[in-house]
Amino acid sequence: MTSISRSQHDFAQAGRLLPGGVNSPVRAFKSVGGTPRFFASASGSHVQDVDGNDYIDYVGSWGPMILGHAQPEVVRAVQETAASGMSFGAPCELEITLAEMVIDMVPSIEVVRFVNSGTEATMSALRLARGFTGRDKFIKFDGGYHGHGDGFLVKAGSGAATFGEPDSAGVPADYAKLTLTAPFNDIAAVERLFADNRGEIAAIFVEPVPGNSGVMDLYSSGFLQQLRALCDREGALLVFDEVMCGFRVAPGGAQQRFGITPDLTCLGKIIGGGLPVGAYGGREEIMRHISPDGPVYQAGTLSGNPLAMRAGIETLKQLRQPGFYEALEAKSARLVEGLLDGCRAAGVPAVANRFGSMFTIFFTGRDAITCGSDVGNHCDLDFFGRYFNAMLDEGVYLAPSQYEAAFVSAAHSDADIDATIAAAGRALAAAKP
Ligand code: KE4
């Protein structure tokens, strides 16, 4: 066991200053136990904590660091841009450049608006969908996460066909009622919601590759295609929340990989290359409803700032290099197969869901994990917690929850993959009761 005394000291100090000692809840390790590591530095596929311990990183800041940490060209571009001003609060040409790249890469986007986080992107897209359709209700899925906008912090009401109920204190019950929920891959439940709320549903919000119940597959069952057809029939907008899977599972995101065209797309994470950038975009006739073109208001002090725009531009530039995704695919496939082989060798039942370089290993005896409730009902969360901490001790940094995804970056080497597979074998043995 390596020393983590400085992280322990820092966590105690941070706990006196910040709620839970963190600025985002999942970082507090609540579901896995142990002390969150305070990071001091990161480079490529590795991060270093304040006690000098080194880890192979599969969180990548929850997705943005697809190139690897401190990627030299991105760092140089940010340094250069910062020297000419961090934020203007006025238009700059870098916004045009990044917009052109996003519109060129993401098939359904004709017009785009930059914001500062995935949450801002989804909450703005929801307001836009309501403003464009004149309808107030919308559908999301149990286990889908779209940031912390009030309308999204809602769980299924008692009985799938009733209204949503707040999933957080502070969300008014009357507002949560406008959020309808259904299980992943259950098209009959979605049909029922439309039947019971005819003409009142503005949109369906879905992560086309969900990553917040662990990675889920909504494509193989035809579910995504059925949602598209339902929205066409009912006059609702199909909104792809590609904050996590955008630029991750393909250059044009899940919509390009699956050949399904949403009406609106939400982006974040990778688009900022590690700096705060979110975006939402779609068909011109919809996006022209956004102020100052139209009546739907949305604004932001730091939206489009030159620093964040330049980090995004340099990141997307590198994603577009020939062979980038093919190399990621090969590495990710080898890693996941090696991890599953290790589980079989250790007699630990497990399955994996993977799309490109985002994946989740579920510790379960089921043949497949296909919806959010499967994770709570059929995965061994205690085992995951022991495995997670054993992997930390082995120098491998995973997301501290079975409900999250792991990410492979362009910087992960063959040696990293081999070391991770070997470490997992030892961690599985350590985690067994
Ligand atoms: P942010 O506001 O955190 O930039 O984005 C919210 C968001 C929206 N949509 C999807 C599909 C997302 O995955 C996210 C944020 N993802 C989480 C990871 N599960 C961020 C990590 C955190 O909350 O600390």
Side-chain angles (χ1 to χ4, degrees):
M1 172 72 174
T2 51
S3 163
I4 58 168
S5 57
R6 188 161 173 174
S7 277
Q8 288 165 332
H9 169 271
D10 287 348
F11 193 41
Q13 173 73 352
R16 286 187 282 276
L17 308 170
L18 307 166
V22 292
N23 285 305
S24 199
V26 70
R27 304 177 189 173
F29 280 23
K30 285 275 190 228
S31 71
V32 291
T35 300
R37 301 306 192 262
F38 279 63
F39 286 170
S41 56
S43 173
S45 56
H46 287 243
V47 292
Q48 296 77 40
D49 69 18
V50 292
D51 291 284
N53 303 304
D54 184 85
Y55 307 87
I56 302 171
D57 177 25
Y58 289 99
V59 179
S61 183
W62 302 92
M65 310 321 293
I66 193 169
L67 301 183
H69 292 284
Q71 204 284 333
E73 281 81 9
V74 177
V75 172
R76 205 173 4 264
V78 168
Q79 288 169 329
E80 179 189 293
T81 305
S84 304
M86 313 275 274
S87 183
F88 304 132
C92 70
E93 290 180 349
L94 292 170
E95 295 169 286
I96 297 172
T97 305
L98 187 56
E100 286 171 337
M101 295 175 84
V102 169
I103 290 165
D104 179 56
M105 292 175 76
V106 184
S108 66
I109 296 184
E110 297 173 343
V111 174
V112 65
R113 167 62 63 86
F114 293 120
V115 292
N116 302 281
S117 69
T119 292
E120 265 198 277
T122 58
M123 60 188 277
S124 306
L126 176 56
R127 184 180 308 130
L128 173 57
R130 286 168 162 161
F132 179 74
T133 62
R135 302 175 179 182
D136 292 342
K137 294 176 182 175
F138 80 100
I139 294 171
K140 70 172 286 289
F141 295 93
D142 304 332
Y145 179 69
H146 305 286
H148 63 85
D150 280 356
F152 297 106
L153 296 180
V154 171
K155 61 179 178 291
S158 50
T162 59
F163 304 122
E165 293 170 0
D167 202 13
S168 164
V171 175
D174 280 350
Y175 187 60
K177 284 178 178 174
L178 298 175
T179 305
L180 309 175
T181 62
F184 285 135
N185 287 314
D186 185 345
I187 199 65
V190 183
E191 286 272 12
R192 280 195 300 277
L193 289 176
F194 274 110
D196 295 345
N197 301 274
R198 188 71 65 199
E200 297 179 80
I201 295 173
I204 294 177
F205 271 71
V206 64
E207 296 167 73
V209 178
N212 292 286
S213 291
V215 174
M216 292 285 158
D217 178 357
L218 306 186
Y219 179 68
S220 304
S221 66
F223 186 64
L224 290 175
Q225 299 88 321
Q226 291 168 316
L227 293 181
R228 177 68 272 174
L230 259 182
C231 284
D232 291 341
R233 189 187 80 195
E234 299 288 338
L237 299 185
L238 179 61
V239 185
F240 274 4
D241 177 351
E242 298 220 38
V243 167
M244 187 184 284
C245 59
F247 308 115
R248 169 65 64 178
V249 300
Q255 58 193 270
Q256 181 184 59
R257 186 182 180 110
F258 298 147
I260 299 172
T261 303
D263 299 298
L264 289 174
T265 300
C266 302
L267 299 166
K269 296 179 190 280
I270 289 170
I271 195 174
L275 293 190
V277 179
Y280 62 102
R283 293 206 315 269
E284 176 146 18
E285 67 164 323
I286 303 174
M287 288 302 292
R288 293 297 177 197
H289 279 68
I290 289 291
S291 175
D293 278 348
V296 179
Y297 191 72
Q298 182 268 308
T301 301
L302 296 174
S303 298
N305 79 76
L307 208 50
M309 294 292 101
R310 187 72 190 279
I313 290 163
E314 294 307 319
T315 298
L316 297 192
K317 255 186 210 167
Q318 298 202 31
L319 299 185
R320 299 167 75 163
Q321 296 306 310
F324 182 89
Y325 286 89
E326 290 75 6
L328 262 188
E329 172 61 26
K331 249 184 286 194
S332 307
R334 188 165 82 83
L335 173 61
V336 170
E337 277 319 306
L339 293 173
L340 289 176
D341 287 344
C343 289
R344 281 187 283 271
V348 173
V351 297
N353 289 338
R354 177 178 74 84
F355 285 88
S357 56
M358 65 186 274
F359 69 92
T360 300
I361 305 281
F362 295 99
F363 294 115
T364 178
R366 305 272 284 196
D367 294 338
I369 296 293
T370 61
C371 65
S373 59
D374 276 357
V375 182
N377 295 335
H378 302 297
C379 291
D380 186 341
L381 303 183
D382 292 336
F383 181 87
F384 178 86
R386 297 195 299 275
Y387 171 76
F388 168 83
N389 279 289
M391 284 292 259
L392 265 188
D393 293 341
E394 290 284 344
V396 177
Y397 191 76
L398 302 174
S401 166
Q402 174 74 100
Y403 290 87
E404 297 289 352
F407 302 101
V408 183
S409 81
H412 282 82
S413 65
D414 284 340
D416 288 329
I417 303 299
D418 293 337
T420 303
I421 292 168
R426 295 189 291 271
L428 289 168
K432 290 179 87 169

